[in-house]
Amino acid sequence: MSRLDSFIRRLEAQRRILDWAAKSVTNSNGLVLELGLGNGRTYDHLREILPKREIYAFDREARANPRSMPPESALVLGDMAKTLPDFVERHGRSAALIHVDATTGVPERDRIHLAWLPEHVAALAQDDALIISGSNLEHPALVAVSLPDGIPEGRYFAYRRAAP
Ligand SMILES: C[S@@+](CC[C@H](N)C(=O)[O-])C[C@H]1O[C@@H](n2cnc3c(N)ncnc32)[C@H](O)[C@@H]1O
């Protein structure tokens, strides 16, 4: 498969899983967190399908397309290794949905650079929160759940946050 095919499949899988996740959290309260704003494509999709939810986006710097830029009050800039624990201090375990999209596209690199991430994700997620991630997250409080139909194996991962 060419890299173009792989990229298209990734975007299709992202849209499918975001739509599925948005439906799954309609009956729960809580924040929606986008970990990895990047160009802002998935953030923009989330705010379109969840117009009434409070959505925070995180990234090192604000590089999103101006049409996908979150309001300043909902944008958390800096290294997430630092900004996520700061956010937990301010908001506690308050997220109903977390979309983790901090991947570099190279799984071996992610495993090293993002080794701290699962701990922070677990600390942000309220009981039974849904976490969807482009990379595998290993943490005892994150229980893997089945993906919706049409998501190729290993392309995305989904978890529920177990109660402590
Ligand atoms: C794959 S891109 C996100 C794509 C985005 N969701 C979109 O749809 O356009 C990954 C993003 O994660 C961010 N990122 C990766 N590690 C980070 C870290 N430790 N702290 C803050 N941002 C990080 C990168 O800066 C990059 O913008």
Side-chain angles (χ1 to χ4, degrees):
M1 190 193 308
S2 72
R3 286 187 57 220
L4 177 63
D5 287 331
S6 173
F7 181 60
I8 290 167
R9 285 195 183 195
R10 179 165 153 248
L11 295 186
E12 284 174 345
Q14 272 189 324
R15 183 179 54 193
R16 193 179 289 250
I17 200 163
L18 289 174
D19 290 347
W20 169 79
K23 280 200 194 104
S24 316
V25 298
T26 43
N27 292 326
S28 62
N29 294 316
L31 302 177
V32 176
L33 306 181
E34 167 81 342
L35 308 190
L37 173 66
N39 182 277
R41 286 191 200 96
T42 50
Y43 167 77
D44 192 48
H45 193 66
L46 276 173
R47 71 179 174 181
E48 187 172 303
I49 57 180
L50 291 168
K52 299 202 173 119
R53 302 300 284 253
E54 202 177 346
I55 308 178
Y56 286 87
F58 295 73
D59 210 302
R60 263 198 197 90
E61 50 192 9
R63 286 186 303 108
N65 183 298
R67 288 179 299 159
S68 315
M69 193 63 81
E72 211 177 304
S73 58
L75 180 57
V76 184
L77 297 179
D79 186 346
M80 286 193 282
K82 169 86 173 67
T83 58
L84 295 181
D86 289 351
F87 193 86
V88 173
E89 272 197 19
R90 288 199 304 280
H91 297 270
R93 274 203 309 119
S94 53
L97 171 62
I98 303 177
H99 176 221
V100 182
D101 192 16
T103 181
T104 58
V106 183
E108 303 73 37
R109 210 180 289 165
D110 291 344
R111 259 193 291 283
I112 297 163
H113 289 305
L114 300 174
W116 43 269
L117 190 56
E119 185 74 41
H120 295 328
V121 169
L124 287 161
Q126 65 190 23
D127 290 355
D128 211 34
L130 180 63
I131 296 104
I132 53 174
S133 174
S135 50
N136 187 25
L137 301 176
E138 282 182 28
H139 188 279
L142 302 179
V143 180
V145 293
S146 305
L147 291 164
D149 289 343
I151 305 292
E153 187 75 21
R155 176 79 52 183
Y156 246 92
F157 302 84
Y159 307 89
R160 287 274 178 196
R161 200 324 178 171

